[in-house]
Amino acid sequence: MTGRAQRTSGRRTEGARHDDVAEARLALEQILRAADYVELVWQEQSSEEEKAALAEFNAEGPELARLIGEFGALLLANHLTAVPDEHADCESAYVVRKLVTVASRYLERWWLASGAGAHTAWIAAGFLIECMQEVGTVHQYLADIRRDAAFGWPATA
């Protein structure tokens, strides 16, 4: 399977979660806010309204960096690398879990770094955008994560 079908049918139960990834718990509002920021970074900020929205996000500094890092771990573990239950014990699933662990660790290092702020969040968002574009479309992933968050699944990575 490829594309959209793989992402939706690849939803995992607790047993197939990426257990090596530090568990990040985000509230619905945090998930939606992070998705809004990533979408804003993804698109051109041509209007004054978009530029003002970006400036408002950037004013959050370290809090924004941490939010995007935690959102990134959630996105990587539960949306971009979903492994169906029947393949959870396969070698490829093991490799995916390890790659998610490393990527999430780097996202965490970025947000914990001294001086982490808006620039760090921008870089992390760019990394996530590249990941989403490599395996699908940014718009669809952000729509999926917003929908899933609204229905309470998943709020942890």
Side-chain angles (χ1 to χ4, degrees):
M1 282 192 267
T2 61
R4 175 85 177 116
Q6 184 179 18
R7 287 195 312 273
T8 27
S9 66
R11 304 227 174 175
R12 295 171 266 89
T13 61
E14 278 300 304
R17 267 186 56 231
H18 294 300
D19 294 324
D20 296 343
V21 176
E23 198 165 290
R25 296 193 183 277
L26 296 175
L28 171 61
E29 299 78 28
Q30 291 174 300
I31 293 171
L32 297 177
R33 186 149 176 78
D36 289 348
Y37 177 76
V38 171
E39 189 165 39
L40 188 60
V41 169
W42 175 54
Q43 299 175 353
E44 289 292 320
Q45 301 87 36
S46 54
S47 74
E48 290 304 315
E49 183 178 292
E50 290 168 329
K51 290 176 184 175
L54 185 60
E56 182 182 322
F57 272 114
N58 289 340
E60 295 177 22
E63 293 80 19
L64 176 64
R66 181 177 192 91
L67 174 63
I68 299 306
E70 290 178 347
F71 176 77
L74 177 78
L75 182 69
L76 287 169
N78 294 330
H79 287 271
L80 294 177
T81 61
V83 175
D85 288 336
E86 62 270 17
H87 298 291
D89 293 332
C90 296
E91 180 68 20
S92 60
Y94 171 81
V95 171
V96 167
R97 282 192 301 273
K98 293 304 177 187
L99 290 172
V100 167
T101 298
V102 170
S104 297
R105 190 179 307 134
Y106 270 86
L107 286 168
E108 183 176 2
R109 285 179 183 165
W110 288 346
W111 89 60
L112 292 175
S114 176
H119 183 71
T120 302
W122 182 274
I123 292 169
F127 171 76
L128 295 172
I129 289 165
E130 289 293 324
C131 291
M132 287 184 274
Q133 287 176 329
E134 191 63 30
V135 294
T137 64
V138 174
H139 175 75
Q140 188 60 54
Y141 275 114
L142 294 176
D144 288 352
I145 201 166
R146 285 177 174 126
R147 183 201 61 235
D148 290 348
F151 288 106
W153 188 95
T156 61

